[in-house]
Amino acid sequence: MDTPDVVVVGAGVIGLAVGWRAAAAGLTVAVLDPTPTGGASHAAAGMLAPVTEVHYGEERLLALNLASAARYPTFVAELEAAAGVTVGYRTEGTLAVALDAGDRAVLAELHAFQTRLGLRTELLTSRDCRLLEPLLSPSVRGGLFVAGDHSVDNRRLAAALLAAAERAGVVVRRSRAVELVVDAVRVRGVRLADGSTVAADTVVLAAGCWSGSLAGIPPGLLPPVRPVKGQILRLAPGPGGAAGPRRTVRGVVAGGHVYLVPRADGELVVGASVEEQGFDTTVTVGGVYELLRDAQALLPGLSELALVESTAGLRPGTPDNAPLIGRTDLEGLLLATGHYRNGILLVPVTAEAVTAMLTSGNTPPVVAPFDPRRFAAAGAPR
């Protein structure tokens, strides 16, 4: 493939999904990344939680998150058929619980906010919570059940997207993109670390928190993304075969937040910190301790599980915590980055929208509020 129709920079779940969908639509595609399926996609927990992740002032983002969540069952079915593997999609719902009276007040306020937004959540007593999850601590004071907040195994998802993309004819080059090649008018390709160039008139930048580091992008068009560190743990049943929760459990513990996401094979993902530490990915004693402390406060039996992995990923944050999806003022350059807390959730809608832009030139209304040019128009800091 000397000159593909599209070059995608970044082979996390977003970049791979864009590549797969674009190739399925008839375009020739090359994806560039030295470590496909790595980065934030590898470190994530895989929650699909538009309702329990809702935040004040992010109503437009909520609409996008709900739209993508609604697409997930069909997306998963198509992906599993294309890749020939499963992705660990689970639909048992999410239980958010509070450990003390103050935490319960936080959940009650969240429930009221969700209700005002027309979202369906069920307020539960302590007994209700323990009926759903018998391993919960007796100290739990109440909770919320959200039937529509699901989960997926992010690592299986990434592997399936890589397989589906390659089966669809996408060329995945395990090389680092270092510079966008441009002339006076438009994009002309991407230069790699080995000095070679992949020529193309269209480039989709999907490199997560590194999207602002690609040389050659005019300074005024650099994506305003930053790394937001998240430490995360993976636990597995120990010799005693101790079990974890049946569904995703999110906890408010002394005002802090922790989540526990089970996998079908017994693994339990516990996360995650939110740290403004630049590109640092150090796993710290304090970070591991705080996650285990809060998780064990919710499920005391976690002390019997084995700690099999501790890692730190870098979420791509933006000034308004919403993604950058769409064209830029440089002809031929599109962005699919800045998904912050919702990268796994937003895979279906992002890939669908970017593919529509590539094939028809039209921007689907669902992603129109997330045009990358919104910050320049508002004079926001970059």
Side-chain angles (χ1 to χ4, degrees), residues 25-161:
L27 299 175
T28 56
V29 183
V31 176
L32 312 176
D33 196 315
T35 56
T37 74
S41 297
H42 185 75
M47 290 185 297
L48 310 174
V51 177
T52 47
E53 280 276 351
V54 68
H55 284 65
Y56 293 103
E58 295 184 4
E59 286 79 3
R60 290 194 308 177
L61 178 58
L62 170 64
L64 183 68
N65 289 344
L66 289 170
S68 200
R71 288 163 165 79
Y72 239 95
T74 299
F75 177 81
V76 165
E78 293 175 352
L79 175 59
E80 291 182 340
V85 296
T86 61
V87 299
Y89 180 50
R90 300 184 61 151
T91 60
E92 295 91 343
T94 294
L95 177 63
V97 298
L99 196 62
D100 60 29
D103 299 331
R104 186 173 59 182
V106 171
L107 278 189
E109 184 179 349
L110 175 62
H111 175 64
F113 178 53
Q114 292 166 334
T115 301
R116 291 196 299 272
L117 294 173
L119 302 173
R120 296 183 62 183
T121 64
E122 183 181 356
L123 201 58
L124 303 180
T125 66
S126 173
R127 181 176 181 274
D128 294 331
C129 292
R130 297 194 68 203
L131 285 173
L132 283 175
E133 290 294 340
L135 298 179
L136 283 172
S137 167
S139 300
V140 165
R141 301 293 294 272
L144 294 172
F145 180 64
V146 184
D149 277 9
H150 301 154
S151 70
V152 67
D153 187 325
N154 53 292
R155 295 181 178 178
R156 288 177 176 266
L157 176 71
L161 285 167

Side-chain angles (χ1 to χ4, degrees), residues 201-233:
D201 287 337
T202 302
V203 172
V204 178
L205 184 53
C209 65
W210 291 274
S211 296
S213 304
L214 187 65
I217 301 177
L221 301 182
L222 284 171
V225 293
R226 72 187 192 283
V228 182
K229 178 180 176 180
Q231 299 188 55
I232 193 165
L233 311 176

Side-chain angles (χ1 to χ4, degrees), residues 11 32-36 173-177:
L32 312 176
D33 196 315
T35 56
R173 291 192 59 172
R174 288 162 173 77
S175 301
R176 184 168 64 90

